[in-house]
Amino acid sequence: MNNILSAQNPFFEQYQTPHETVPFDRIQTEHYEPAILEGINQQKAEIEAIIQNPEKATFANTVEAFEQSGKLLDKVTTVFSNMLSAETNDELQALAQKVMPLLSEHSNNITLNEKLFDRLKEVYNQKEDLQLTQEQHRLLDDIYDSFVRHGANLEGEAREQYRQLTNELSMLTLSFSENNLKETNHYQMLLTNKADLAGLPEIVMETAAETAKSEEKEGWAFTLHAPSYVPFMTYADNRELRHKLYLAYNTKCTHDNEYNNIDIVRKIANTRMKIAQLLGYDNYADYTLKKRMAETSNAVYKLLNQLLEAYTPTAQQEYQEIQDLARQEQGDDFVVMPWDWSYYSNKLKNKKFNLNEEMLRPYFELEQVKKGVFGLAERLYGITFKKNQDIPVYHEEVEAYEVFDKDGKYLAVLYTDFHPRTGKRAGAWMTSYKEQWIDRKTGENSRPHVSVVMNFTKPTANKPALLTFNEVETFLHEFGHSLHGMFANSTYQNLSGTNVYWDFVELPSQIMENFAIEKEFLHTFAKHYQTGELIPDELIQRIVNSSNFNAAYACLRQVSFGLLDMAWYTRNTPFEGDVRVYEQEAWKKAQILPVVSDACMSTQFSHIFAGGYSAGYYSYKWAEVLDADAFSLFKQKGIFNQEVADSFRKNILSKGGTEHPMVLYKRFRGQEPTIDALLKRNGIK
């Protein structure tokens, strides 16, 4: 390695920052590629050393040695992949197109390395005689299974076919994501007639005016980012413009331009099917679910069909009620279409409960919400948060906090990133820059660095960032994921924090959402940003009363996404048909609103085509069953009950993937979950 290059590249040094956090202020785009290439070379050498070890294969010299390999590569690719999501640009995306095939090939070179697999298999075959700890057993099983699931048992032509398919898949998913981001950023609806803004709240108009002004345009600019799109669809009186914006959003990546994802959807679904079949499975869902709590497609469909049966009658009533309201205003021939749903839902909610998002915004100023959410963790778990401006960040809007445990010891670093930018993908997520592990030689517990990334309402020239109630729930959700990362206490990085079964990972996040309607919690922070008045009890009661408003429709919407996901990944023959038609057929049982023939979800459904939720979107509903059942214990004992919180931390949040999730859940709850608590919470039962 060139010493001059090494001296200039921060990835090649031990970070000289607080807690060895990423020195974002020193990292340039040109640093990634040489660090990735050197990381690949270093891991190759580490793998070769394992293979060439003349001693008999043992857990320490093979399994642990493999688990500890690739530190430099992990260090640089973690930052690189996170920046592709949170702060990307054309140069980074071009580099991704260049290095992703190299990374895919390197990964294949490891899992298809016969000599390495032989040594792992040697240890695996004698595991019952090795007196391993529970965690060591889990690590050995996970690594062995991972090799098998990534082609280690394939031979000859099948191995080469596997290489080719996985390389193709890595490029397809990257292109899918980039197209989605670019198409989202590309669209703008500029309005110059103030009459077109009728119905919109002042804060929404201010934001739209500032968006236009930032691009030296006159008028009000609306985009497909959630803080712009959602309020427009909810409040704009102009139906024609709602229709226009709806179609722009729901036809993303279907147009005759360079961002079209239709053929990419086909190719991703077909490539995953071929990989699964190459590995001996009938379809990709069978392959994926083998390492999930659900285990089989039948179990997933059983849950989705249970929810369909339980919620459909109520969802149909909800639609009819909104249709009736709309017809009172528009006449008996009026049909509520998808671009009318949010608008008339909001009107009905206001009529029934005297409540809408704009009434609540003044009580949810972002700084106060942060105090509330951090304060909730302090009250439940005794942890504290201290902003540290010496920790470098990747954008001026990002803040970094040191987190301390109840005994005052350093626990983690938490980054927060709240607002939309052109370089940030849509949605909200939690991620890690460094996982937790325990050094086997020194016993040092190396603590994690985690980040929560959102796309919340921005401050304007006249107002601070005032969140919607939905954004408060999203904050709690992602913060729940971050607690799972921050409380991690595993020996091995591979089993640490959120490295759990995908249909279990949403339990720590979704359980936190339950606090959003609890008066005791809201009273800790929800104050009017101008007057300082605490949110009135009567307003909280309206939030509680309305908490199940359109709950059945919302459930079926999630079920429809689960059905669509399963339809793509239970296929055992290649798909060459019409993506829109296939989609409409796949989820028709869960559709309550009239079908819009031009709309297409699949072409922008990053969760299942570019994220980790392929054959896994059902996980949100699966985990909702868990979180409703789990939170019922908090409700029973008190929402701030220390005993319950300590048990949740000890048995769920700190354990990561060290044991099977159902074992952990039953240890916390004392029983397996049933759907009853969810039905009761949603007012269905």
Side-chain angles (χ1 to χ4, degrees):
M1 182 172 57
N2 184 311
N3 287 333
I4 297 173
L5 192 65
S6 170
Q8 296 170 341
N9 193 323
F11 288 119
F12 293 137
E13 309 165 3
Q14 184 171 353
Y15 297 154
Q16 302 300 312
T17 49
H19 309 296
E20 295 184 35
T21 45
V22 179
F24 292 108
D25 53 337
R26 294 183 55 217
I27 294 172
Q28 305 295 321
T29 301
E30 60 265 25
H31 292 145
Y32 289 109
E33 187 176 2
I36 287 171
L37 294 174
E38 177 60 22
I40 288 173
N41 287 333
Q42 284 189 17
Q43 191 169 26
K44 278 182 183 174
E46 290 158 353
I47 298 295
E48 192 60 26
I50 296 171
I51 293 167
Q52 297 300 332
N53 190 331
E55 295 178 12
K56 181 175 180 288
T58 66
F59 183 83
N61 72 20
T62 302
V63 179
E64 283 190 334
F66 173 70
E67 199 267 344
Q68 292 175 59
S69 71
K71 292 289 189 194
L72 173 60
L73 187 60
D74 182 56
K75 182 178 175 181
V76 60
T77 54
T78 296
V79 179
F80 183 60
S81 61
N82 280 328
M83 289 302 95
L84 283 173
S85 291
E87 186 59 16
T88 193
N89 54 49
D90 290 343
E91 291 78 20
L92 271 188
Q93 289 175 354
L95 181 58
Q97 294 282 347
K98 185 177 180 182
V99 301
M100 285 305 180
L102 300 177
L103 291 169
S104 178
E105 183 65 13
H106 175 62
S107 176
N108 284 334
N109 286 341
I110 292 173
T111 56
L112 299 176
N113 186 315
E114 293 179 54
K115 291 178 180 175
L116 177 60
F117 184 57
D118 284 344
R119 283 186 72 91
L120 286 169
K121 195 189 295 186
E122 191 180 334
V123 181
Y124 183 80
N125 287 339
Q126 53 177 320
K127 65 177 180 176
E128 301 308 326
D129 304 322
L130 295 179
Q131 297 182 314
L132 301 176
T133 66
Q134 164 65 37
E135 201 171 336
Q136 288 171 332
H137 261 292
R138 191 80 177 174
L139 181 69
L140 175 56
D141 285 347
D142 280 5
I143 289 176
Y144 180 81
D145 286 350
S146 177
F147 269 70
V148 172
R149 290 170 63 77
H150 289 87
N153 280 329
L154 297 176
E155 295 178 354
E157 190 181 326
R159 291 170 79 85
E160 290 313 305
Q161 201 178 347
Y162 178 84
R163 279 182 187 276
Q164 183 186 341
L165 289 169
T166 51
N167 286 341
E168 285 174 13
L169 184 61
S170 72
M171 297 307 294
L172 286 167
T173 55
L174 179 63
S175 296
F176 184 99
S177 290
E178 289 182 357
N179 288 346
N180 199 0
L181 177 65
K182 288 174 180 174
E183 182 94 313
T184 300
N185 288 337
H186 184 70
Y187 182 85
Q188 190 178 86
M189 183 173 76
L190 184 68
L191 303 180
T192 53
N193 183 352
K194 193 165 186 180
D196 289 336
L197 307 180
L200 292 177
E202 183 186 346
I203 190 171
V204 177
M205 291 191 283
E206 279 181 20
T207 304
E210 288 186 9
T211 301
K213 188 178 178 182
S214 70
E215 299 181 15
E216 298 180 351
K217 295 175 182 175
E218 292 291 324
W220 300 266
F222 295 90
T223 71
L224 301 182
H225 294 105
S228 179
Y229 176 79
V230 173
F232 194 92
M233 299 305 294
T234 304
Y235 298 107
D237 292 336
N238 189 317
R239 190 187 193 209
E240 190 179 321
L241 291 176
R242 291 201 311 269
H243 185 191
K244 180 180 178 181
L245 198 61
Y246 170 88
L247 283 180
Y249 191 96
N250 288 279
T251 59
K252 278 195 291 185
C253 303
T254 65
H255 305 293
D256 188 16
N257 60 23
E258 67 268 38
Y259 310 134
N260 190 299
N261 272 340
I262 286 178
D263 200 44
I264 291 177
V265 164
R266 292 191 194 101
K267 286 177 178 175
I268 289 174
N270 290 342
T271 303
R272 285 187 168 141
M273 181 200 74
K274 288 174 189 172
I275 289 170
Q277 291 178 343
L278 203 57
L279 294 168
Y281 296 88
D282 180 61
N283 57 61
Y284 188 75
D286 284 357
Y287 164 76
T288 298
L289 293 167
K290 184 90 173 171
K291 301 294 283 183
R292 299 288 186 266
M293 290 179 79
E295 295 183 352
T296 66
S297 297
N298 285 342
V300 173
Y301 278 118
K302 181 183 176 184
L303 172 67
L304 296 177
N305 287 327
Q306 272 185 311
L307 294 169
L308 269 174
E309 185 180 345
Y311 284 80
T312 297
T314 307
Q316 289 169 339
Q317 290 168 18
E318 289 169 350
Y319 176 77
Q320 192 56 51
E321 202 172 357
I322 285 169
Q323 177 81 282
D324 291 345
L325 175 71
R327 285 181 173 172
Q328 287 172 22
E329 291 188 12
Q330 303 294 337
D332 291 344
D333 295 335
F334 189 85
V335 176
V336 170
M337 297 298 288
W339 48 89
D340 302 314
W341 179 256
S342 296
Y343 180 74
Y344 285 105
S345 290
N346 180 62
K347 286 197 165 199
L348 182 61
K349 188 176 183 179
N350 220 337
K351 183 179 178 183
K352 289 179 79 168
F353 304 104
N354 187 22
L355 188 72
N356 63 53
E357 290 280 18
E358 298 312 306
M359 287 181 190
L360 300 175
R361 265 193 209 268
Y363 297 98
F364 296 139
E365 193 268 315
L366 177 57
E367 288 304 313
Q368 283 298 115
V369 177
K370 275 195 278 188
K371 287 178 188 173
V373 173
F374 290 172
L376 175 59
E378 184 172 351
R379 194 154 176 186
L380 289 173
Y381 304 112
I383 62 175
T384 52
F385 299 78
K386 182 182 177 186
K387 192 186 294 187
N388 186 338
Q389 293 183 321
D390 292 331
I391 294 175
V393 293
Y394 55 86
H395 189 276
E396 61 184 7
E397 291 178 349
V398 178
E399 293 180 332
Y401 295 84
E402 291 172 295
V403 187
F404 298 95
D405 213 335
K406 55 186 169 187
D407 60 2
K409 285 183 182 172
Y410 162 67
L411 183 71
V413 168
L414 174 68
Y415 300 94
T416 60
D417 181 359
F418 289 110
H419 303 299
R421 297 184 295 274
T422 54
K424 185 196 285 191
R425 68 174 168 87
W429 63 96
M430 168 266 179
T431 187
S432 293
Y433 286 94
K434 179 194 166 300
E435 307 265 16
Q436 175 271 340
W437 70 82
I438 295 172
D439 190 297
R440 264 78 79 204
K441 291 175 184 168
T442 66
E444 181 197 352
N445 195 325
S446 185
R447 301 308 303 164
H449 306 159
V450 304
S451 177
V452 288
V453 189
M454 269 77 82
N455 280 278
F456 289 166
T457 305
K458 282 185 165 186
T460 67
N462 302 317
K463 291 186 179 69
L466 301 175
L467 305 191
T468 65
F469 183 71
N470 182 256
E471 288 173 333
V472 174
E473 288 182 309
T474 300
F475 190 171
L476 284 164
H477 179 104
E478 299 307 333
F479 186 72
H481 281 309
S482 77
L483 290 174
H484 202 184
M486 291 190 287
F487 284 139
N489 197 30
S490 306
T491 304
Y492 302 105
Q493 178 176 331
N494 286 21
L495 301 176
S496 174
T498 57
N499 290 305
V500 299
Y501 280 5
W502 214 249
D503 44 9
F504 191 61
V505 79
E506 296 298 337
L507 168 61
S509 54
Q510 289 182 186
I511 197 170
M512 293 296 285
E513 293 182 44
N514 289 278
F515 288 94
I517 62 169
E518 295 293 335
K519 181 167 75 173
E520 290 172 272
F521 169 59
L522 290 170
H523 273 177
T524 64
F525 73 93
K527 297 174 182 174
H528 196 286
Y529 79 103
Q530 288 172 315
T531 66
E533 173 206 13
L534 196 63
I535 188 169
D537 286 355
E538 183 263 338
L539 191 52
I540 293 175
Q541 191 56 49
R542 280 188 262 159
I543 296 172
V544 173
N545 293 345
S546 68
S547 60
N548 283 329
F549 178 71
N550 285 351
Y553 168 80
C555 176
L556 289 199
R557 183 171 179 270
Q558 289 291 90
V559 169
S560 74
F561 296 159
L563 290 171
L564 178 60
D565 174 35
M566 292 299 285
W568 281 117
Y569 293 120
T570 51
R571 294 188 58 83
N572 57 15
T573 57
F575 180 77
E576 306 297 343
D578 186 313
V579 169
R580 285 189 186 90
V581 172
Y582 186 74
E583 172 176 299
Q584 288 161 14
E585 181 64 25
W587 65 13
K588 68 179 181 182
K589 285 193 293 185
Q591 292 301 314
I592 299 298
L593 298 174
V595 173
V596 179
S597 59
D598 286 343
C600 190
M601 174 72 176
S602 297
T603 51
Q604 56 180 294
F605 202 174
S606 294
H607 273 76
I608 72 166
F609 286 108
Y613 285 84
S614 43
Y617 200 86
Y618 76 91
S619 301
Y620 286 104
K621 299 313 290 184
W622 187 277
E624 208 173 326
V625 171
L626 297 178
D627 92 67
D629 185 67
F631 194 71
S632 67
L633 192 59
F634 277 98
K635 289 290 282 183
Q636 183 186 324
K637 301 274 184 80
I639 66 164
F640 299 126
N641 184 278
Q642 288 292 293
E643 183 188 343
V644 178
D646 287 346
S647 174
F648 194 70
R649 174 177 177 173
K650 177 185 173 185
N651 293 307
I652 306 290
L653 297 177
S654 69
K655 288 291 188 181
T658 57
E659 294 184 69
H660 191 282
M662 190 54 80
V663 172
L664 298 177
Y665 186 82
K666 286 197 288 188
R667 202 174 289 151
F668 163 70
R669 188 66 179 90
Q671 63 187 46
E672 287 200 11
T674 68
I675 200 171
D676 294 349
L678 177 61
L679 297 178
K680 186 178 176 184
R681 184 174 74 186
N682 286 163
I684 301 297
K685 189 172 181 179

